Amino acid sequence: MNWRELKDGNITRIAGAVSGGLDSCTVTHWLQSKGFSVHCYTVDLGQPDEENLNAVKDRMLGCGAESASIVPGHDALAEAGLKVIQSQARYEGGYWNTTGIARPITVSAILPEMLASDIGVLFHGATGRGNDQVRFQLAANTLEPAAQIYAPWRDPEFVAEFPGRQQMLDYCEANGLPIRPTRESRYSTDANFLGLTHEAGDLEDVTISPTFVEPGMGVWAWDAPDQPEIVTVRWEQGVPVAMNGERLSLVEMFERANAIGGRHGVGIGTHVVENRFVGVKSRGIYESPAMDLLGSSYEYLLQFILDRRARDLFEHLSGVISLQIYQGYWLDLATTSALAALEPMTRLATGTIAVRLFKGSVFFETAEDTPEAMPYSLYTDDSSMEAMGTYDHADAEGFLKVLGISSKNVGARQYPSLGR
């Protein structure tokens, strides 16, 4: 779809999902210059790189928007982030899907606002080479099938005028638009309180070390304190409810974990050359202190609870959910079903886990291994090397004889021909 098709359809009012960055400012002014009434919406996701979201609102008004609004999204993002942790939904290289999960949350927050204002078209600044265009579009299509999506980066006329960031910078400066200083920036950052994504610019050159990136949620591991810190997390039915003995709301839990994990370099600078959904590779540097801290704590808890078959199922579901989020299918049947399949395991995830943070790593410290503290733990003394537990060593004799039958058949009939 191009802007002329919108005009031919008598559409003059358009809503934008904006961050207040270079793309947002350029597109807003450009559409306004084409005769559209532009209404901008910024979802408050606790963006660490924005001290005051009202500044975004002011920038968009200064770029020609007829209206600009800040829409709350903290609670929804925290709930979604928890599901990412509960499913251990990491993509290639350990990326926690923090940007991928934020897109459907953003769309679900904006759609009711724009529809209440009788606006039926939503634009975004995601490029035609990336994943976010898919995430925005599929979320909007699912939540409001009648809504239309306009993507400037897929409009040939827009791309011809703005083939890259330099042309957008020149345009904004020529028109006196109130953009943040970006000429000196060596990369682009997308932010929410679950994590930061750094890409583009000098990060596209893999011959350059990514250590020039300035962390926004903590410090590089080598700059972290020389003394470790012990952090205790209490989980109840899969929800972190207390840290170091202090009861916290879910949003507060993420904020506290970000602060503690970030100062120890936890989750800072994850490097991934990943396979985008559109079929190209890209390089990203990721920050996600709370996700790493809480996610590691939850994984240690799962080790006490899941038996072998449940673990196999969990790993499969985790992979499915991770890919679904990354590719933009958070709201569809497969994700809904996979999350529902995890629910019985999540319900049993009650326990208190202490972890040791040191120089970017999260180590297991201790667990409160009592029936009261961890009622669903399967960890017993049956595996002990000492004379305790109900497991009789002699009982393994028959077990090994049964296992040995197939091994003997392989040895007699197949192994000599395997060429090993």
Side-chain angles (χ1 to χ4, degrees):
M1 178 187 295
N2 60 49
W3 70 272
R4 296 182 187 278
E5 290 176 300
L6 294 175
K7 277 299 186 68
D8 291 343
N10 295 318
I11 294 172
T12 58
R13 303 175 75 235
I14 187 169
V18 302
S19 65
L22 180 61
D23 285 13
S24 300
C25 293
T26 304
V27 173
T28 295
H29 187 272
W30 190 79
L31 287 173
Q32 185 267 340
S33 73
K34 302 299 184 186
F36 289 95
S37 172
V38 184
H39 301 263
C40 294
Y41 298 93
T42 301
V43 181
D44 184 356
L45 301 175
Q47 294 89 326
D49 62 340
E50 286 286 355
E51 294 182 4
N52 180 10
L53 279 182
N54 285 321
V56 174
K57 180 178 175 180
D58 294 339
R59 279 202 299 275
M60 303 322 300
L61 293 172
C63 291
E66 184 169 318
S67 69
S69 305
I70 308 299
V71 184
H74 274 76
D75 291 341
L77 184 62
E79 291 291 343
L82 177 59
K83 292 186 184 302
V84 174
I85 288 174
Q86 290 171 342
S87 57
Q88 296 287 289
R90 301 186 189 209
Y91 190 59
E92 298 175 346
Y95 166 50
W96 273 106
N97 270 311
T98 57
T99 298
I101 196 62
R103 298 319 188 201
I105 300 305
T106 297
V107 173
S108 64
I110 291 175
L111 279 178
E113 301 289 330
M114 61 176 261
L115 294 175
S117 298
D118 198 28
I119 302 174
V121 179
L122 175 69
F123 78 81
H124 59 76
T127 80
R129 296 177 177 176
N131 300 307
D132 282 335
Q133 60 175 336
V134 179
R135 297 161 180 163
F136 278 119
Q137 182 123 5
L138 296 188
N141 291 161
T142 302
L143 293 169
E144 187 54 53
Q148 297 184 67
I149 303 297
Y150 171 67
W153 280 100
R154 301 201 300 269
D155 183 334
E157 192 167 332
F158 179 87
V159 175
E161 187 170 348
F162 304 106
R165 287 170 55 85
Q166 185 59 55
Q167 289 74 26
M168 288 191 290
L169 282 167
D170 293 341
Y171 177 88
C172 290
E173 291 181 355
N175 287 279
L177 303 186
I179 60 174
R180 290 188 297 179
T182 54
R183 284 198 182 274
E184 297 78 18
S185 177
R186 299 178 62 184
Y187 52 90
S188 176
T189 297
D190 187 272
N192 64 69
F193 71 74
L194 297 183
L196 302 184
T197 299
H198 308 296
E199 58 186 8
D202 285 349
L203 284 175
E204 293 176 354
D205 185 349
V206 296
T207 67
I208 300 175
S209 169
T211 54
F212 68 84
V213 171
E214 297 182 10
M217 301 182 79
V219 299
W220 286 100
W222 48 85
D223 294 324
D226 293 329
Q227 294 300 317
E229 181 173 354
I230 309 299
V231 178
T232 301
V233 181
R234 174 64 183 172
W235 297 85
E236 294 180 0
Q237 296 187 351
V239 179
V241 297
M243 181 171 287
N244 295 333
E246 181 181 356
R247 304 286 291 195
L248 300 169
S249 70
L250 188 56
V251 171
E252 291 171 335
M253 183 66 68
F254 276 108
E255 292 173 343
R256 186 73 56 84
N258 273 329
I260 296 175
R263 68 172 173 250
H264 287 279
V266 170
I268 302 296
T270 300
H271 180 277
V272 186
V273 177
E274 68 203 56
N275 291 295
R276 284 182 176 174
F277 190 23
V278 296
V280 299
K281 279 189 176 289
S282 64
R283 182 198 202 187
I285 303 298
Y286 298 105
E287 302 182 44
S288 51
M291 299 297 287
D292 256 29
L293 195 166
L294 296 174
S296 296
S297 171
Y298 192 72
E299 160 57 26
Y300 290 134
L301 177 59
L302 290 178
Q303 292 175 14
F304 286 87
I305 294 164
L306 301 181
D307 63 28
R308 182 170 62 237
R309 293 167 299 283
R311 170 57 79 171
D312 287 344
L313 177 59
F314 180 89
E315 295 296 337
H316 175 70
L317 294 171
S318 175
V320 168
I321 294 170
S322 177
L323 193 60
Q324 288 279 110
I325 296 172
Y326 188 82
Q327 295 184 349
Y329 294 104
W330 172 246
L331 299 170
D332 78 356
L333 176 61
T335 306
T336 303
S337 300
L339 290 171
L342 281 182
E343 196 278 331
M345 304 180 205
T346 304
R347 200 184 326 133
L348 301 182
T350 293
T352 302
I353 302 292
V355 294
R356 178 183 294 256
L357 311 183
F358 184 67
K359 297 289 186 181
S361 296
V362 182
F363 301 94
F364 177 84
E365 184 71 10
T366 60
E368 290 189 21
D369 187 24
T370 66
E372 295 76 24
M374 197 182 298
Y376 306 109
S377 171
L378 298 179
Y379 182 68
T380 68
D381 56 11
D382 286 332
S383 62
S384 175
M385 296 288 286
E386 306 301 329
M388 60 176 66
T390 60
Y391 192 111
D392 189 334
H393 294 270
D395 290 341
E397 184 67 25
F399 178 63
L400 267 296
K401 285 183 178 179
V402 171
L403 294 180
I405 292 174
S406 62
S407 293
K408 289 178 179 180
N409 284 331
V410 169
R413 303 181 182 186
Q414 295 180 346
Y415 185 77
S417 299
L418 295 179
R420 296 175 60 193

